[in-house]
Amino acid sequence: MRPTDTNTPVLPVGTAALAPFVEAGILHEAGLQVAGAVARTVPGTRDEVLLATALCVRALQLGHVCVVLDEVAVTVAFEAQGDQTSPGDEAEPTASIDDLPWPDPIGWAEALRSSDAVTVRDPDSGHVTGRFDEGIIRPLVFDGERVYLERYWRYERQVGDLLLSQSAGSAVHSGPTEADAARIEAVLDQFFGPDDPDRPDLQRLGARAALTRRITVLAGGPGTGKTHTVARLLAALHQLALDDDRPLQVALAAPTGKAAARMTEAVHQAVADADIREESAQPLLANEAGTIHRLLGYRDGISFRHDHTNPLPHDVVVVDETSMVALPLMARLLDALRPDARVVLVGDPYQLASVEAGAVLGDVVGPATDLDATPTGPLADNIVVLQRVHRFAADSAIAALADAVRSGDADRAVEVLSDGGSDDVRWIDPADHKALDRLRNTVVSGAVEVAEAAHEGQAGDALDRATDLKVLCGTRFGPLGSYAWRDHLERQLPKLVQGLSTDRGYYIGRPVIITRNDYITGVFNGDTGIVIQDDDRTVVAMSGPEGIRLVLPSQLAAVETWWAMTIHKSQGSEFAHAVVSLPHERSRVLTRELLYTGITRGKEKVTVVATDAALRRAIDNPVARASGLGARLWKH
């Protein structure tokens, strides 16, 4: 059957009942094909089960792990308002959500329980509660509330099981002895200073947790000292290992190459600032962070070298920017740890979650971010949320704005932005064309400095200037998207820089960002560089922990121009001046986490380009990803 709209996909055999949802713009090709496969392989599957299947695929595309049956119609109604049918266009549903033939929730649940395509499991134990054998794998899993594609149920179950089992014991099998505890306190005194019972040092508390437990979560916003804590924690671990005359293998990892490079730089800087003794500092300075994929030995596009049958050799694994780690990758990482290894998960739970399905850090931290409560649960003692901000001054408008956005206080955020007395925060309404033109001129002036340094072959200067000011956009398309900013700059630059032409692909002065990992060349997703003139050849100067290296353009297979970037890609980066450019208020991408992430990329100055309605829509719209992980971790 083919719906009347010729732009919609063909319905696979057996899925004719899904036509109204296709015509309304709710279901798309991927979900229909999976539902069609279920209809073919499990004959007699009821329409309610096929609809649940297609919605599960749709949920994954939107970052959810599962579909919550009682909430699905409401969730779909909200998300459909911003579904994009073409780049930059916000599509309204072609039919009323309420008019669609949604199954009765009770009957829908019964159809799932009785289907041969569904395994029914207890949400707590994971045991099969229906009539099916444990060894039979079916496409869907239903736990009475949530419907999953089977693979993602297993990912969530695996992460939950491993976190709960790791939290149950200390880092040594028998627990620290009295002598061990005394040594730990002594080394903490050495690297964090003496403990003050009247004013607990949360950084020291986080380090103590990591020294005595197999899993530690070190959470906090930008500038709260997460990297400072990690550097001193690692120094303490190395000192204890040196005292015991035993080797210590430590792995530093992050989700992207850019985040890994930033982690290496930050740890090295923290070591220098902390004035750590040479015998403890040397192994830290020799250790470079890498991507999680590289750590696990990603191979052949589908598998990893390390898993529970071939675990990682490391005693300690530290993962930075954990908010960016998707559920499947977290499952692979935890599965590859030795049973006695420590893992330290570091990140900001208020930032954007992973592009793929899941919000693992947010689920794990859960109620621990509530400073007015004392959460209880198996992981409560393993989580430390750093609160004191060291990056900004106490009266910083950036810190005040970030705090207002994080807490969902739109009125306070608008008040901070509207205060003309602050030099570090500015707000421009796109309707104010004169102010927007002045900002564009400022951005162009910064780009001219980058291009001129590149023409003179000054790679380091060009790279530094490229991070002085960066436009961070909610979307790629649209009048305030990254492509519009890029195109404007590339039209203006040839008028202002003698000899510069942006018509050629790798023009001198072009900043680039890598969009795909390349282990042969050694460049990774998120790495940045500048095209420069080096004697008589054109090369790309790439920045990294070991300094600047020159790469031929022919060696780079996947790059984009980096005059502007999406806020998603900016995670793990810092810029002296961040220009946060938001789309109009109907855009589905507008969320509290998106705005917070963009604002907190700026170290010295933040300019927000947005309407009042877009700002309020973002602040009032926190990300809520459907998942059962948080409920399981915190209900015990």
Side-chain angles (χ1 to χ4, degrees):
M1 173 182 177
R2 181 188 296 270
T4 55
D5 184 352
T6 56
N7 290 323
T8 57
V10 175
L11 288 169
V13 174
T15 64
L18 304 184
F21 298 91
V22 177
E23 293 167 352
I26 302 301
L27 299 181
H28 304 291
E29 185 71 37
L32 292 173
Q33 292 303 320
V34 175
V38 171
R40 290 192 303 273
T41 55
V42 188
T45 299
R46 292 171 57 177
D47 295 335
E48 297 96 320
V49 177
L50 297 179
L51 176 60
T53 303
L55 288 172
C56 280
V57 176
R58 180 182 188 274
L60 293 176
Q61 294 171 324
L62 295 173
H64 304 291
V65 177
C66 58
V67 169
V68 181
L69 214 56
D70 291 343
E71 302 172 2
V72 63
V74 175
T75 303
V76 165
F78 172 76
E79 291 169 342
Q81 294 175 8
D83 277 348
Q84 296 182 343
T85 55
S86 61
D89 294 331
E90 303 296 337
E92 297 294 339
T94 58
S96 171
I97 300 296
D98 294 335
D99 292 339
L100 292 173
W102 295 102
D104 170 71
I106 296 176
W108 202 352
E110 182 53 38
L112 288 163
R113 289 192 185 94
S114 62
S115 174
D116 287 345
V118 182
T119 298
V120 183
R121 292 185 178 272
D122 178 84
D124 294 324
S125 68
H127 295 154
V128 174
T129 60
R131 56 188 174 82
F132 303 117
D133 295 332
E134 176 71 25
I136 298 177
I137 298 177
R138 290 174 167 78
L140 298 181
V141 172
F142 182 47
D143 71 359
E145 293 181 63
R146 307 173 187 87
V147 188
Y148 300 79
L149 293 183
E150 195 275 344
R151 177 183 297 181
Y152 282 82
W153 181 87
R154 287 192 179 274
Y155 286 146
E156 186 175 282
R157 174 60 49 173
Q158 186 175 27
V159 169
D161 286 348
L162 289 168
L163 288 174
L164 290 172
S165 66
Q166 291 277 25
S167 69
S170 66
V172 287
H173 293 297
S174 59
T177 65
E178 186 174 338
D180 292 329
R183 291 181 61 210
I184 288 171
E185 293 306 314
V187 80
L188 288 172
D189 287 346
Q190 178 182 342
F191 292 106
F192 290 90
D195 195 13
D196 183 354
D198 297 326
R199 190 177 179 183
D201 181 349
L202 292 178
Q203 294 183 4
R204 179 186 170 116
L205 184 63
R208 181 190 289 119
L211 290 173
T212 57
R213 297 178 179 274
R214 293 197 185 104
I215 180 167
T216 304
V217 181
L218 192 63
T224 52
K226 297 187 295 295
T227 305
H228 173 93
T229 305
V230 167
R232 290 172 180 257
L233 159 66
L234 293 176
L237 284 165
H238 280 291
Q239 186 62 56
L240 290 171
L242 284 170
D243 292 345
D244 291 339
D245 194 24
R246 58 180 170 82
L248 182 72
Q249 291 196 62
V250 176
L252 305 179
T256 67
K258 178 66 175 178
R262 173 67 187 149
M263 183 185 191
T264 301
E265 294 168 2
V267 168
H268 289 186
Q269 185 62 51
V271 170
D273 293 343
D275 192 26
I276 297 172
R277 290 189 308 182
E278 183 177 353
E279 64 267 28
S280 298
Q282 193 278 330
L284 297 181
L285 296 174
N287 198 346
E288 288 191 11
T291 65
I292 298 174
H293 282 80
R294 193 171 198 178
L295 175 67
L296 295 177
Y298 189 56
R299 60 187 182 186
D300 61 40
I302 56 173
S303 65
F304 294 92
R305 182 169 67 253
H306 292 290
D307 58 17
H308 64 278
T309 64
N310 180 29
L312 292 166
H314 304 90
D315 304 291
V316 182
V317 176
V318 182
V319 181
D320 198 14
E321 298 290 352
T322 306
S323 65
M324 299 168 64
V325 182
L327 177 67
L329 187 57
M330 182 60 75
R332 303 276 195 174
L333 174 64
L334 295 177
D335 182 54
L337 296 175
R338 292 195 336 241
D340 60 341
R342 293 182 177 92
V343 61
V344 182
L345 304 178
V346 184
D348 185 348
Y350 307 105
Q351 279 192 31
L352 282 165
S354 61
V355 175
E356 299 177 64
V360 177
L361 183 63
D363 285 339
V364 172
V365 174
T369 57
D370 185 354
L371 304 182
D372 297 325
T374 304
T376 58
L379 287 173
D381 292 335
N382 300 68
I383 298 170
V384 176
V385 181
L386 303 180
Q387 302 165 22
R388 182 184 172 193
V389 177
H390 303 272
R391 177 180 300 174
F392 310 118
D395 59 349
S396 164
I398 298 177
L401 178 60
D403 184 65
V405 172
R406 182 177 61 239
S407 61
D409 190 341
D411 289 338
R412 174 61 180 153
V414 169
E415 181 184 337
V416 173
L417 285 167
S418 301
D419 182 3
S422 171
D423 293 330
D424 51 351
V425 166
R426 188 183 178 204
W427 180 20
I428 295 177
D429 189 307
D432 186 344
H433 299 296
K434 290 184 179 180
L436 188 56
D437 285 343
R438 287 194 294 269
L439 175 63
R440 287 189 176 119
N441 291 338
T442 299
V443 174
V444 169
S445 296
V448 167
E449 294 181 0
V450 174
E452 289 178 341
H455 269 265
E456 295 171 4
Q458 298 176 1
D461 192 28
L463 287 164
D464 288 342
R465 291 178 184 274
T467 59
D468 283 344
L469 185 154
K470 190 60 60 181
V471 181
L472 312 178
C473 305
T475 60
R476 292 176 298 159
F477 297 92
L480 294 175
S482 62
Y483 291 167
W485 283 97
R486 176 202 65 189
D487 292 346
H488 176 74
L489 285 165
E490 291 190 332
R491 286 193 301 268
Q492 299 302 314
L493 281 173
K495 303 175 186 177
L496 301 169
V497 181
Q498 185 176 5
L500 187 148
S501 173
T502 56
D503 293 336
R504 50 186 291 207
Y506 282 92
Y507 59 84
I508 304 301
R510 178 193 178 194
V512 297
I513 183 169
I514 307 299
T515 60
R516 189 173 66 226
N517 293 337
D518 185 340
Y519 292 100
I520 296 176
T521 308
V523 296
F524 303 98
N525 183 24
D527 286 354
T528 56
I530 302 286
V531 181
I532 67 167
Q533 187 72 37
D534 180 55
D535 294 330
D536 59 348
R537 62 177 186 162
T538 298
V539 296
V540 180
M542 308 287 297
S543 59
E546 296 181 348
I548 297 171
R549 67 180 179 123
L550 304 181
V551 182
L552 293 174
S554 59
Q555 295 178 282
L556 303 177
V559 300
E560 291 181 356
T561 302
W562 190 49
W563 290 121
M565 67 194 305
T566 62
I567 295 174
H568 275 88
K569 281 190 175 292
S570 74
Q571 292 186 91
S573 300
E574 292 180 344
F575 306 100
H577 181 187
V579 175
V580 181
S581 181
L582 299 184
H584 59 72
E585 63 271 15
R586 288 189 297 118
S587 175
R588 177 168 57 83
V589 307
L590 287 173
T591 64
R592 184 181 301 171
E593 290 77 6
L594 180 90
L595 179 56
Y596 172 82
T597 301
I599 289 169
T600 55
R601 299 311 91 201
K603 294 189 294 183
E604 301 171 8
K605 187 174 182 178
V606 171
T607 300
V608 177
V609 182
T611 64
D612 181 277
L615 275 171
R616 293 180 182 276
R617 167 70 187 269
I619 294 169
D620 293 340
N621 180 30
V623 170
R625 291 192 167 182
S627 161
L629 180 61
R632 180 159 181 255
L633 294 177
W634 288 97
K635 74 189 302 183
H636 293 269

